[in-house]
Amino acid sequence: MGRIVALDYGKKRTGIAVTDELQLIASGLTTVASHELINFLQEYIKKEKVEIFVVGEPKQMDNTPSESEALIIPFLKQLEKKIPEIPVVRQDERFTSKMAFQSMIDGGLKKKQRQNKALVDEISATIILQAYLNKK
């Protein structure tokens, strides 16, 4: 079995989370500048066996796509073109940023640490991945 990689794609940066090889535990991996993401993923799959990419799907409360979906579609096309051997699935990402921020508070992180947007993105990717694992 390969790892599952989850992406919380954003205009500036993307949070990345991965599972263990048994696909039991979701852990934050890192945050990468979005324009460097494809290169990062290509390097990562050379070192690790990846079974699937899970990409967050931002939606409004009425289930319509949010405006950030327009940024994700071109990335998905590029990902499919550059790494066609790994399938991509989407996972609803509503409230993940709020949940990530709350988990930072619950975890006792100081205010200065909670202002680290890269950490919020990484935790959001972990929440997206955990939601996917729970659904699976």
Side-chain angles (χ1 to χ4, degrees), residues 4-7 51-57 76 79 86-92 128-129 132 135-136:
I4 299 172
V5 175
L7 307 171
E51 193 171 298
I52 195 164
F53 291 123
V54 177
V55 179
E57 185 174 20
L76 291 173
L79 181 62
I86 299 176
V88 175
V89 296
R90 304 297 302 276
Q91 175 64 45
D92 189 343
I128 290 167
L129 183 52
Y132 174 78
K135 192 173 78 174
K136 205 176 115 173

Side-chain angles (χ1 to χ4, degrees), residues 27-47:
S27 304
L29 179 63
T30 190
T31 304
V32 174
S34 293
H35 70 277
E36 298 172 0
L37 183 57
I38 296 289
N39 289 339
F40 177 88
L41 294 173
Q42 287 173 321
E43 289 302 311
Y44 187 80
I45 64 172
K46 287 178 185 174
K47 295 178 262 176

Side-chain angles (χ1 to χ4, degrees), residues 10 37 46 57 62 72 74-75 82 97:
L37 183 57
K46 287 178 185 174
E57 185 174 20
D62 65 359
I72 298 172
F75 162 73
K82 298 280 188 179
S97 293

